[in-house]
Amino acid sequence: MTNSHEKMIIIGAGAAGFTAAIYAARANLSPVVLAGLQPGGQLTITTDVENYPGFAEVVQGPWLMQEMQQQSENVGTRVIYDIATSIETDTHPMRVKLDGGDTMTADTIVIATGAQARWLGLESENTFNGRGVSACATCDGFFYKERDVLVVGGGNTAVEEALYLSNLCKSVTLIHRRDSLRAEQILQERLFKQPNVSIEWNYNITEILGDDTGVTAVSLKSTTDDSEKQISAHGVFVAIGHDPATKPFQDILDLDNEGYILVKSGTTLTSQTGVFAAGDCVDKIYRQAVTAAGMGCMAALDAEKYLASLDD
Ligand code: NAP
C-alpha cells in the first residue's frame, strides 16, 4: 500500500539514502525509502571495497549495500521498490508521485538519488568492467599499484584521478580527445610535473583489449587524422564526467548548471523548505561512499530538526 502519509520519504537507496534511513528510523520517524528498481547505488557495480571504514578485510560493494539496507530495516525503515517520478512541494504535506501510479504524501523529503559515471559506450568496456576498467581511482587505484594505467578525459576529475594514480602506479597515461585540458590550471601544472605521467593528445579509445587476467592494452584512434595505435596498460580509468540523477526535481529545486542539487553551505537544506538532499546528487567533488553516508546522516538530522520546529 503506497497511497500513504509518511513523516519522511527518502528517494534513493545508496549509501546516502540508507544512512539517512538508519538515523531517521532511530529517531522514530518511520522513514520510507523509495528504492527504485535496482537499490544499492554505485556500490553495487563495484567489487572489492577496501576504503569503507569499519571492515579490516576487503568487502564486496553489493554485500555492503545489502547490509546497509538490512540495518535500516532492522531499526524500522520500510523499503518500497518503486521510482519517484516527481515531487510537489507547494502543498502541505508534500507529494511524491510514483511510477507505479500511487501518490504518497510526506512532511519531509530526503533526495539521495546519486549520480552515474559516464562511460565511453564500448562493448569491451562492459566486458572488462571491474576487471581493469573503473570509473573511480580512489576506489580501485590501489589494485594497480606499480602497474601501468590509463586515464580518459580532460576535466578536473581526469586530472585528479591521474595525479592520485601517479603516486601509486608505475606509469599513468592520460588520453584526451583534444589538444588542451579543461581542468583548472593549477591541477594541470601539478600533472605536467609528475615524471611518470604522459599525455596522448587528440586520441579516442576505440577498443579495450584483454584476456582472462583482465585488461592488457587499448586501441586508440586519432581525432585529427586517420592514425591508429595500441598502448599496453593494466587499468583504464574512465573520467569523462558524471550525471546526477536529478531530472525529476529540475523544475522544483535549485540545481547548478550541471544538474547537481544546490544545498545551503554546510547543511543538506535545498531551496525548498522541508526537502533535504545528500550524497552524489549534491556532491561532485568527493563522491565517496563514506562521504555520501555522512551527508545522509546530516540530512536525517536536518530533517528531524525541521520536523521538531513544525511541532513547536
Ligand atoms: P567535465 O569537466 O565535464 O570533463 C569531462 C571531460 O571528459 C572533458 O575533458 C571531455 O572532453 C571528456 N569527455 C567527455 N565525453 C567524452 C567521451 N565520450 N570520450 C572522450 N572524452 C570525453 O567532467 P569532470 O572532470 O568530471 O568534472 C565535472 C564537474 O565537477 C566540473 O565542474 C569540475 O570542475 C567539477 N570537479 C571539481 C573538482 C575540484 O574542484 N577539485 C574535482 C572534480 C570535479 P572535452 O574537454 O573535449 O569536452
Side-chain angles (χ1 to χ4, degrees), residues 46-65:
T46 57
T47 50
D48 293 353
V49 177
E50 246 178 14
N51 57 5
Y52 198 86
F55 303 97
E57 304 296 331
V58 174
V59 296
Q60 298 298 300
W63 174 85
L64 183 59
M65 292 320 302

Side-chain angles (χ1 to χ4, degrees), residues 117-119 129 133-137 139-140 157 161 236-239 242:
R118 281 187 213 136
W119 296 98
N129 202 323
V133 174
S134 167
C136 179
C139 320
D140 299 326
T157 304
E161 302 261 277
V236 178
F237 289 85
V238 180
H242 282 75

Side-chain angles (χ1 to χ4, degrees), residues 100-167:
D102 294 314
T103 299
M104 300 173 79
T105 56
D107 296 325
T108 60
I109 297 173
V110 172
I111 299 174
T113 44
Q116 276 121 28
R118 281 187 213 136
W119 296 98
L120 298 168
L122 304 171
E123 209 178 307
S124 48
E125 182 182 45
N126 278 338
T127 311
F128 291 106
N129 202 323
R131 293 195 304 126
V133 174
S134 167
C136 179
T138 325
C139 320
D140 299 326
F142 187 74
F143 304 118
Y144 301 92
K145 222 173 165 178
E146 298 305 329
R147 309 202 85 182
D148 301 307
V149 297
L150 310 175
V151 177
V152 193
N156 274 351
T157 304
V159 172
E160 284 191 344
E161 302 261 277
L163 281 168
Y164 179 84
L165 292 165
S166 70
N167 290 320

Side-chain angles (χ1 to χ4, degrees), residues 118-121 152-160 175-184 187 203-205 238-242 256-258 260 283-287:
R118 281 187 213 136
W119 296 98
L120 298 168
V152 193
N156 274 351
T157 304
V159 172
E160 284 191 344
I175 296 169
H176 185 39
R177 62 185 180 183
R178 292 186 300 115
D179 63 359
S180 64
L181 303 174
R182 66 170 68 231
E184 284 166 34
L187 290 174
Y203 277 104
N204 272 323
I205 294 186
V238 180
I240 60 171
H242 282 75
D256 75 7
N257 57 5
E258 293 166 86
Y260 290 88
D283 164 33
K284 60 185 176 197
I285 309 283
Y286 303 103
R287 296 185 176 126

